[in-house]
Amino acid sequence: MSSTYFFDNAWPEERARIAALEAALDPGTRALLEARAPAAGWRCLEIGAGGGSIASWLAGHEGVHVLATDIQTSFVEPLAHDRLEVRAHDITGEGLPPDTFDLVHVRWMLFWLAPDARDAALRQIVPAMRPGGWLLAEEPDFLPMLSSPAIPEPLRSVNAAHVALIEKLSGQVDPRYGSTLLRDLAEHGLIDLSSAGRTHVIRPGDPATGSNWLGLALGRVRQPLVDSGACTDAEFDRAVEQFDDPATTMLFPLTMAVWGRRPA
Ligand SMILES: C[S@@+](CC[C@H](N)C(=O)[O-])C[C@H]1O[C@@H](n2cnc3c(N)ncnc32)[C@H](O)[C@@H]1O
């Protein structure tokens, strides 16, 4: 099964876009993972590792071994060391070692897949977990970022058109997937499920709030948006001004974190 992930590591701004995503999400992810206290001897799997910040942080725990996978490994490869193994791997298609991982983490990746590909991915992931082992999946729901009446026009329309365009070009991304993630994990047999969502206000010029992430993503689709008639150059410029205005209140997409355990 193939992946039609929209963003390409070869795009010059992609490392910065991923770094901006990490800056916004890593503190919350680290707190959730730390609560399970990764211990010496654990084998962890980081799927769709991206820039590798979480894989690298996990492998910084004494005696913890991490396998970091992605269809594009160029950002994470330089981080490899004796306890951080990097592998080019498509989670929808290729097997993983069975009954192996004490902890599996995946973030902002499953929502890129069509339902059948997501199903295939979960059919790889669950048997690879050690019986009794844990999965932490964190997937977005973009609704709070798109729908708030506090977002001025044309920023609201331009941003909605940006998400709709990526949906169309990738052909399968589900920007609301975070809301149905727990149901899918239950259907794949995980137990002891729990969930928690987090978001925050995006503040212009504050990288920890994801401002660069959205700014870079918008810049990436400017020309296709204008070419397709979704907005004019003037509307796009005005939307960027509004985005950079500290008076604008816009929420980062909701990240739904779901914990589940493979039955022992
Ligand atoms: C939005 S980025 C998130 C990166 C990282 N998980 C994070 O949260 O910082 C999505 C990542 O998933 C990877 N990806 C997309 N489809 C994949 C697939 N089928 N198998 C493995 N990785 C995939 C992409 O290459 C990209 O690095």
Side-chain angles (χ1 to χ4, degrees):
M1 204 166 299
S2 64
S3 177
T4 57
Y5 181 60
F6 176 74
F7 290 97
D8 184 344
N9 281 9
W11 178 49
E13 305 277 27
E14 181 58 4
R15 186 66 193 86
R17 192 189 72 91
I18 290 287
L21 187 68
E22 293 172 341
L25 294 178
D26 280 8
T29 297
R30 286 198 300 260
L32 289 166
L33 291 171
E34 205 62 270
R36 300 281 164 200
W42 276 27
R43 294 182 66 84
C44 302
L45 172 64
E46 175 74 12
I47 301 166
S53 61
I54 292 299
S56 179
W57 173 83
L58 271 173
H61 289 70
E62 188 69 34
V64 170
H65 182 279
V66 179
L67 173 62
T69 67
D70 202 296
I71 49 172
Q72 311 182 81
T73 54
S74 58
F75 296 157
V76 65
E77 253 158 29
L79 304 178
H81 56 76
D82 57 344
R83 285 188 297 100
L84 175 49
E85 184 187 343
V86 175
R87 193 179 300 168
H89 179 267
D90 181 343
I91 194 59
T92 68
E94 300 163 42
L96 290 166
D99 307 329
T100 299
F101 298 101
D102 301 276
L103 176 66
V104 177
H105 177 242
V106 60
R107 186 176 76 186
W108 280 51
M109 199 236 87
L110 295 172
F111 83 115
W112 282 106
L113 306 176
D116 61 336
R118 248 187 329 254
D119 189 58
L122 288 168
R123 276 188 276 112
Q124 304 287 340
I125 293 170
V126 175
M129 295 163 69
R130 190 178 54 72
W134 286 95
L135 168 69
L136 172 63
E138 303 184 271
E139 295 295 328
D141 182 336
F142 279 64
L143 190 66
M145 187 185 80
L146 298 175
S147 66
S148 166
I151 305 168
E153 289 293 353
L155 175 57
R156 186 136 71 110
S157 303
V158 168
N159 197 32
H162 141 241
V163 174
L165 180 77
I166 291 179
E167 224 175 319
K168 184 168 161 232
L169 293 180
S170 83
Q172 54 186 354
V173 68
D174 178 358
R176 305 282 335 263
Y177 182 61
S179 312
T180 47
L181 170 63
L182 186 143
R183 181 201 62 197
D184 280 4
L185 300 192
E187 282 176 8
H188 280 267
L190 295 189
I191 58 169
D192 296 339
L193 290 157
S194 62
S195 66
R198 65 184 191 279
T199 183
H200 56 262
V201 174
I202 300 173
R203 295 190 57 81
D206 182 351
T209 68
S211 56
N212 297 348
W213 165 78
L214 185 56
L216 288 168
L218 280 173
R220 173 83 162 85
V221 295
R222 178 192 183 119
Q223 207 51 53
L225 282 181
V226 172
D227 290 347
S228 69
C231 66
T232 62
D233 274 313
E235 284 166 339
F236 192 94
D237 288 341
R238 179 71 191 121
V240 170
E241 274 171 28
Q242 290 170 326
F243 179 60
D244 288 337
D245 182 347
T248 300
T249 287
M250 195 170 188
L251 292 182
F252 197 79
L254 177 70
T255 297
M256 285 304 304
V258 181
W259 280 106
R261 201 159 60 84
R262 185 179 171 195

